[in-house]
């Protein structure tokens, strides 16, 4: 047998082997096509092997994930319509990725031993890109809120194109046509791409830079009541103004605790949280953060973007009536659209405005 013939046979065997392997790795997809005749748009995609992600900071140990390890987590498929912070349309896309809460709910936070509460409700979560850019979130806006349109680490992006073939050939509204090469943080619930971040390589848990002295000390199982709220703006502290704040109501607030399960379904009435913050911190904005502290020292951190720029923020209030009666512990912080009620804070006593510059420093 001639040498060229042998080489041709070996090449043919290699090609056939490759095709068989490719067919087997995509068996479910081809079986779907064979049985249905349909051409699906939503198909399974895997995180590329070269991707790496680290999680560190206030965690019990550092965590490192390869792309193959991330494939163990449940992905999601989300369509986004992206607007820049300046109001420019950037395109419509289909992203496949891993919701941040799928990843972070398995990460064990670690706090110093002297901290009275070990919950991560006052932790700042920072997403870091390979270029040094950062996006900031509160821990609970990633974990405790509803599953719809969650912040997601996307690893695949496909432009949404018009189905009309003539229009499609000339369509230029999508700024980005290439697929992703790393992890892209997307925030589909938000009105613009301020917190979108390309090429995410690290997530860190961090402490909050606040002055501890004026805040109530942390005391577990300490019975107390709050009849007033103190506001803190840097070194300045003042009683909260409530008399002109708009009223709000949630007729059916379903309270399910992350640790204790179902509690009750109640009607909550009180002061609209957005208006409360605008009244008492008129220069505050969506890029700032707010720390809420109860009279027993329990704390919860909220981002300004969550409060001011998402539909769930419009359902937040400071309740002074539950089922028509004043709460026993006084004022109640009530994020009524949350899935879990762990950020609902009995005996709200202190609100701290944390400027964007303080977070970034």
């Amino acid at each position: 047998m001639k040498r060229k013939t042998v080489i041709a046979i070996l090449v043919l065997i290699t090609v056939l082997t490759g095709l068989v392997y490719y067919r087997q790795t995509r068996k479910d997809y081809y079986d779907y096509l064979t049985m249905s005749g349909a051409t699906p748009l939503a198909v399974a995609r895997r995180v590329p092997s070269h991707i790496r992600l680290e999680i560190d900071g206030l965690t019990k140990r550092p965590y490192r994930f390869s792309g193959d390890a991330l494939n163990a987590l449940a992905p999601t498929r989300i369509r986004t319509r992206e607007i820049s912070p300046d109001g420019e349309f950037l395109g419509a896309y289909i992203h496949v990725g891993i919701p941040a809460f799928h990843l972070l709910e398995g990460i064990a936070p670690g706090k110093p031993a002297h901290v009275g509460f070990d919950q991560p409700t006052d932790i700042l979560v920072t997403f870091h890109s390979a270029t040094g850019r950062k996006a900031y979130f509160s821990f609970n806006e990633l974990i405790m809120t509803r599953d719809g349109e969650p912040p997601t680490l996307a690893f695949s992006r496909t432009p949404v194109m018009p189905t009309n073939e003539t229009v499609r050939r000339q369509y230029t509204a999508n700024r980005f046509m290439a697929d992703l090469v790393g992890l892209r943080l997307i925030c589909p619930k938000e009105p613009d791409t301020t917190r979108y971040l390309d090429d995410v390589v690290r997530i860190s848990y961090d402490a909050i830079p606040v002055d501890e002295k004026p805040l109530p000390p942390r005391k577990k199982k300490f019975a107390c009541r709050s009849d007033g709220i103190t506001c803190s703006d840097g070194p300045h502290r003042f009683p909260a103004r409530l008399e002109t704040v708009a009223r709000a109501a949630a007729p059916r607030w379903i309270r399910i605790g992350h640790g204790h399960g179902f509690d009750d379904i109640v009607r909550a009435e009180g002061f609209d949280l957005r208006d409360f913050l605008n009244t008492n911190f008129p220069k505050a904005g969506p890029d700032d953060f707010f720390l809420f502290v109860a009279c027993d020292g329990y704390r919860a951190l909220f981002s300004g973007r969550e409060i001011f720029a998402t539909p769930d923020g419009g359902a937040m209030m400071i309740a002074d009536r539950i089922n028509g009666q004043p709460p026993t512990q006084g004022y109640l912080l009530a994020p009524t659209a949350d899935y879990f009620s762990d950020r609902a804070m009995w005996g709200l006593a202190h609100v701290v405005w944390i400027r964007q510059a303080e977070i970034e420093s």
Side-chain angles (χ1 to χ4, degrees):
M1 187 178 293
K2 295 182 178 180
R3 186 168 179 270
K4 289 184 177 180
T5 303
V6 173
I7 293 175
I9 292 173
L10 290 175
V11 170
L12 180 60
I13 291 173
T14 301
V15 171
L16 290 175
T17 302
L19 290 174
V20 170
Y21 175 77
Y22 184 79
R23 169 66 173 80
Q24 286 302 111
T25 58
R26 295 173 61 86
K27 181 176 185 298
D28 292 340
Y29 175 71
Y30 285 109
D31 287 348
Y32 177 86
L33 292 181
T34 301
M35 296 299 294
S36 70
T39 304
L41 295 177
V43 296
R45 289 180 171 83
R46 293 181 59 80
V47 182
S49 298
H50 71 270
I51 284 178
R52 297 290 185 272
L53 180 67
E54 297 184 8
I55 303 178
D56 58 19
L58 291 179
T59 59
K60 291 187 176 178
R61 65 177 181 83
Y63 297 81
R64 293 179 176 85
F65 299 93
S66 66
D68 293 333
L70 293 173
N71 279 312
L73 301 175
T76 189
R77 178 178 182 266
I78 299 177
R79 292 177 294 184
T80 60
R81 296 174 294 188
E82 300 180 16
I83 309 294
S84 76
D86 298 328
E88 180 185 2
F89 183 73
L90 300 178
Y93 306 95
I94 295 172
H95 286 92
V96 178
I98 301 167
F101 71 86
H102 286 183
L103 179 63
L104 298 184
E105 66 183 356
I107 301 301
K111 287 191 173 184
H114 68 273
V115 175
F117 295 99
D118 58 2
Q119 296 97 330
T121 52
D122 59 349
I123 281 179
L124 178 75
V125 179
T126 305
F127 291 78
H128 304 255
S129 79
T131 62
R133 292 186 62 236
K134 301 175 184 179
Y136 304 97
F137 294 77
S138 71
F139 177 85
N140 274 2
E141 70 176 306
L142 299 171
I143 298 295
M144 297 297 173
T145 53
R146 294 181 295 182
D147 296 356
E149 298 184 319
T152 295
L153 290 170
F155 54 84
S156 173
R157 174 180 62 198
T158 305
V160 176
M161 300 296 290
T163 55
N164 183 290
E165 187 62 31
T166 302
V167 176
R168 182 188 183 94
R169 286 196 295 267
Q170 304 173 4
Y171 194 72
T172 60
N174 291 323
R175 177 75 61 84
F176 313 111
M177 299 300 293
D179 200 357
L180 300 175
V181 295
L183 294 175
R184 184 186 192 217
L185 176 66
I186 62 172
C187 307
K189 189 185 298 182
E190 300 186 10
D192 58 47
T193 58
T194 296
R195 290 201 289 187
Y196 283 51
L197 191 63
D198 286 321
D199 204 8
V200 174
V201 294
R202 185 165 73 93
I203 302 172
S204 62
Y205 287 9
D206 301 294
I208 306 303
V210 296
D211 183 4
E212 297 282 344
K213 295 178 182 178
L215 301 179
R218 296 174 172 92
K219 298 179 181 179
K220 277 190 174 182
K221 298 181 180 179
F222 175 65
C224 59
R225 175 183 171 84
S226 172
D227 292 314
I229 301 172
T230 299
C231 294
S232 288
D233 172 7
H236 307 293
R237 284 173 288 281
F238 52 91
R241 291 176 51 200
L242 293 170
E243 59 274 9
T244 62
V245 176
R247 299 286 295 178
R252 194 170 182 269
W253 180 18
I254 304 172
R255 293 175 45 79
I256 300 176
H258 187 255
H260 299 284
F262 175 70
D263 188 1
D264 52 13
I265 301 175
V266 301
R267 175 180 175 81
E269 301 169 76
F271 302 98
D272 179 86
L273 185 60
R274 288 177 177 173
D275 198 44
F276 171 88
L277 296 175
N278 286 330
T279 297
N280 289 281
F281 306 104
K283 294 184 179 180
D287 292 324
D288 299 324
F289 278 72
F290 300 91
L291 184 67
F292 297 85
V293 186
C295 54
D296 64 354
Y298 187 85
R299 302 176 180 195
L301 181 70
F302 287 69
S303 75
R305 291 200 66 82
E306 177 190 18
I307 295 171
F308 293 116
T310 71
D312 289 354
M316 297 178 184
M317 71 176 74
I318 297 174
D320 59 2
R321 292 287 187 278
I322 297 294
N323 290 332
Q325 300 297 319
T328 304
Q329 294 92 340
Y331 293 114
L332 166 66
L333 177 65
T336 61
D338 277 11
Y339 184 85
F340 291 114
S341 60
D342 292 51
R343 293 194 293 180
M345 181 182 297
W346 300 98
L348 175 63
H350 215 118
V351 180
V352 182
W353 174 21
I354 305 171
R355 288 174 167 81
Q356 179 186 10
E358 297 175 70
I359 294 291
E360 293 177 344
S361 66

